[in-house]
Amino acid sequence: MSDREQEFYKLYRPKLFKHLVGQPDAVKMLEEMLRKRRVPHALMLTGPSGCGKTTAARILKTKLECSDTDFIEINAAESRGIDTVREIQQRMCLSPMGGKCRIWLLDEAHSLVSLAQQALLKILEDTPSHVYFMLATTDPNKLAKTIHTRCTEIHFGLLSPKDIEDVITRVLEEEKVQLSDEVMQKLVEIAEGSARKVLVVL
């Protein structure tokens, strides 16, 4: 992905749950947790790539009043060993530096090796009150069943063609660009239900 594509995708990343297209059940569940002030300290966000898992985590970060400094995002596909979890364990007892909590977002969490998953289970069992873990994964079956039992799972699905059209239309309006119906339809097909993919192509 080029720098321009990354900037474009980030520019139109939803900042509010009401702008997160195509995930009504996930949004309803998260908003209900916030309303009741009962956000679990371990969330598992499951579903295909590019459908809103990381975006939802970032919105939740804001709702929980977590500062950018205290929001740590780790790509588990690249940092998949036990040292990654050990570092979290060493740092999670530290107080928040700029907000009310600290959040670790583990993207592609299923990529963690077996020993790392075992270590992760231990810290999920003993999480400080000011710490939240969000495990985003496209393949939850590769995570240990014991980790599943410690997490509240929220599923994200592929976007419908209508949802993809809504994503495209919003961006076109902001960019003051018009596309023919034929091009719009082609973009919807290429997207294959992924908001991220259509923004990159667009």
Side-chain angles (χ1 to χ4, degrees):
M1 190 183 296
S2 71
D3 290 342
R4 173 56 181 158
E5 288 169 340
Q6 288 180 8
E7 289 171 5
F8 199 65
Y9 170 59
K10 291 177 181 178
L11 179 63
Y12 293 105
R13 183 195 292 269
K15 303 293 192 300
L16 300 171
F17 282 131
K18 67 180 181 180
H19 296 150
L20 188 56
V21 177
Q23 307 299 340
D25 293 339
V27 168
K28 182 179 178 180
M29 194 171 178
L30 288 166
E31 288 183 329
E32 188 70 6
M33 290 174 179
L34 287 164
R35 187 182 68 80
K36 293 181 177 179
R37 297 183 180 179
R38 294 181 181 175
V39 178
H41 286 265
L43 288 171
M44 185 180 296
L45 312 176
T46 67
S49 296
C51 295
K53 300 186 297 298
T54 302
T55 296
R58 289 176 174 274
I59 296 172
L60 193 56
K61 162 218 158 189
T62 302
K63 296 287 188 180
L64 292 172
E65 298 182 58
C66 175
S67 69
D68 290 340
T69 305
D70 293 316
F71 184 77
I72 302 99
E73 188 171 347
I74 297 172
N75 183 349
E78 297 177 358
S79 304
R80 57 201 301 266
I82 192 170
D83 287 344
T84 296
V85 181
R86 283 176 176 161
E87 184 178 351
I88 294 173
Q89 190 172 25
Q90 290 170 358
R91 297 175 60 189
M92 72 180 190
C93 291
L94 300 174
S95 298
M97 291 182 281
K100 291 188 175 180
C101 63
R102 307 193 82 191
I103 295 174
W104 270 270
L105 169 61
L106 295 177
D107 199 13
E108 299 301 327
H110 62 270
S111 299
L112 291 172
V113 299
S114 179
L115 283 176
Q117 290 195 32
Q118 291 175 34
L120 177 62
L121 175 63
K122 177 62 178 174
I123 62 177
L124 292 178
E125 291 174 342
D126 193 24
T127 303
S129 60
H130 66 280
V131 171
Y132 294 87
F133 289 101
M134 300 180 191
L135 281 58
T137 173
T138 55
D139 196 350
N141 292 330
K142 289 185 178 179
L143 283 166
K145 291 182 179 179
T146 45
I147 290 179
H148 281 262
T149 62
R150 294 292 173 183
C151 297
T152 298
E153 183 172 345
I154 300 177
H155 183 71
F156 293 72
L158 290 170
L159 278 68
S160 70
K162 175 62 169 60
D163 291 331
I164 293 293
E165 281 190 25
D166 289 344
V167 171
I168 297 170
T169 300
R170 172 176 169 248
V171 174
L172 294 179
E173 288 175 352
E174 290 290 335
E175 294 285 324
K176 295 180 172 54
V177 173
Q178 291 185 336
L179 294 178
S180 67
D181 291 343
E182 183 180 358
V183 173
M184 174 72 82
Q185 184 58 41
K186 187 62 177 178
L187 283 169
V188 171
E189 293 173 4
I190 292 172
E192 298 180 320
S194 168
R196 180 172 63 209
K197 185 172 182 179
V198 80
L199 286 177
V200 170
V201 174
L202 189 61

